[in-house]
Amino acid sequence: NAVRHRLAARLGGESDLEGETLERLLSDETGIRKSRVHEAFYGGNDASTSDDKRSFIESMQELQRLWRSR
């Protein structure tokens, strides 16, 4: 949540943006696909534990990319 608030505020949006609005703003500003933004903030699928770990790592990497992108 802290990263979401800071990114939205840093990009000139309202800090309480969520969902499609947040995804569109970050995608437009950073050039990162909306689906990747969605995965970073809301995670991927809920398969096995190893997939959960991989999804968590990928989400954290995406959040770092979003943070550094602008």
Side-chain angles (χ1 to χ4, degrees), residues 32-44:
I32 296 173
R33 289 189 332 255
K34 285 191 332 183
S35 62
R36 300 292 282 181
V37 174
H38 177 85
E39 288 176 19
F41 283 99
Y42 305 110

Side-chain angles (χ1 to χ4, degrees), residues 2-13 22 25-26 30 41 62-63 66-70:
V3 172
R4 179 175 48 83
H5 286 287
R6 288 181 181 176
L7 273 172
R10 191 172 93 185
L11 297 175
L22 174 69
L25 171 70
L26 292 177
T30 64
F41 283 99
E62 285 300 322
L63 287 172
L66 285 166
W67 185 253
R68 289 182 287 217
S69 65
R70 180 156 191 226

Side-chain angles (χ1 to χ4, degrees), residues 13-69:
E14 298 176 33
S15 62
D16 61 349
L17 295 176
E18 292 191 30
E20 179 71 25
T21 305
L22 174 69
E23 293 165 21
R24 186 172 57 273
L25 171 70
L26 292 177
S27 180
D28 290 349
E29 291 292 328
T30 64
I32 296 173
R33 289 189 332 255
K34 285 191 332 183
S35 62
R36 300 292 282 181
V37 174
H38 177 85
E39 288 176 19
F41 283 99
Y42 305 110
N45 59 22
D46 295 326
S48 69
T49 304
S50 63
D51 285 343
D52 289 345
K53 289 177 185 176
R54 185 172 40 247
S55 291
F56 175 77
I57 291 168
E58 290 172 357
S59 292
M60 292 302 105
Q61 290 171 335
E62 285 300 322
L63 287 172
Q64 289 173 352
R65 268 185 279 238
L66 285 166
W67 185 253
R68 289 182 287 217
S69 65

